[in-house]
Amino acid sequence: MTEEEKLPERPDTPCVAVCSTTFDEICRGCGRSVVEVAHWVSMGAAEKERVWKRILAQGYPRRNK
């Protein structure tokens, strides 16, 4: 089994359409940095999983906050 086959199933993106980076570099909706959002489509599965683990541990994605 490859490393990518071991990864949990996730939505295509953590985006919850609550996009805001007005006051800092982290989106208040999904918890990703501006750079992570910009490069999401070109990231590999393992890199996306690292981001998913971090944002989930931080209580993201958040809706209506």
Side-chain angles (χ1 to χ4, degrees), residues 22-41:
T22 304
F23 301 107
D24 57 30
E25 294 289 312
I26 301 298
C27 177
R28 287 192 248 165
C30 69
R32 293 177 293 168
S33 71
V34 172
V35 172
E36 290 167 339
V37 171
H39 295 285
W40 188 258
V41 296

Side-chain angles (χ1 to χ4, degrees), residues 50-62:
R50 283 190 293 276
V51 174
W52 269 109
K53 286 181 179 180
R54 188 194 79 243
I55 65 176
L56 290 170
Q58 294 172 343
Y60 293 96
R62 298 178 182 160

